[in-house]
Amino acid sequence: KMPPDGYVDNTTQIYNYCVQGFATGEAFLCGMVWFWHRTRDLPIRLCLTVHDSIVAYVKRGYEKQFTEIAVQSLTHDVYYYLGRLYNFNSFPAPLGVGIKIASHWGKGEETKVDVPYDPTGAR
């Protein structure tokens, strides 16, 4: 609906509509597979996914490595994979990761990392 002031209701949802299925239907799943491969020999265990989130058990001392792997696998690896396999080289929004490390799920401060698409394919 468009009220008299000219602002369209649900504008944010309308603008994001075209990328929502892509984000959770393709990009996240690709990233999750990369994450699993990169952590399978480490004391980092993927235990749950919710929509476009990964919940993992991380052994003390591996927090930095977990963060680096999460950023790499959920952004750079997704760009690489989708470009290489599907020749998909245009992203309407940068991929990003929000990371919380805490003793319980839902606790802790979130660190956000946005990674713009790099057409050179650098990994």
Side-chain angles (χ1 to χ4, degrees), residues 38-59:
R38 289 182 179 279
T39 60
R40 68 182 175 189
D41 295 328
L42 298 172
I44 298 170
R45 295 289 173 253
L46 191 150
C47 67
L48 176 69
T49 64
V50 179
H51 302 292
D52 59 353
S53 298
I54 291 175
V55 179
Y57 293 111
V58 180
K59 185 175 180 177

Side-chain angles (χ1 to χ4, degrees), residues 21 23-24 26 31 37 40-41 48 57 61 68 81 84 99 108 114:
T24 57
E26 283 87 11
H37 280 284
R40 68 182 175 189
D41 295 328
L48 176 69
Y57 293 111
E68 291 169 354
Y81 180 78
R84 185 79 189 253
I99 299 171
D114 286 331

Side-chain angles (χ1 to χ4, degrees), residues 10-23 92-93:
N10 303 315
T11 301
T12 303
Q13 291 85 348
I14 293 167
Y15 286 142
N16 291 335
Y17 182 73
C18 62
V19 297
Q20 287 176 354
F22 173 72

Side-chain angles (χ1 to χ4, degrees), residues 40-90:
R40 68 182 175 189
D41 295 328
L42 298 172
I44 298 170
R45 295 289 173 253
L46 191 150
C47 67
L48 176 69
T49 64
V50 179
H51 302 292
D52 59 353
S53 298
I54 291 175
V55 179
Y57 293 111
V58 180
K59 185 175 180 177
R60 288 187 201 276
Y62 285 84
E63 297 88 353
K64 184 174 188 252
Q65 197 168 3
F66 166 79
T67 299
E68 291 169 354
I69 290 171
V71 171
Q72 175 68 39
S73 59
L74 296 169
T75 59
H76 298 288
D77 290 341
V78 172
Y79 287 137
Y80 169 78
Y81 180 78
L82 294 177
R84 185 79 189 253
L85 189 64
Y86 299 115
N87 199 28
F88 189 82
N89 297 307
S90 174

Side-chain angles (χ1 to χ4, degrees), residues 98-109:
I99 299 171
K100 288 184 184 181
I101 298 177
S103 61
H104 292 82
W105 182 27
K107 302 275 184 184
E109 287 286 319

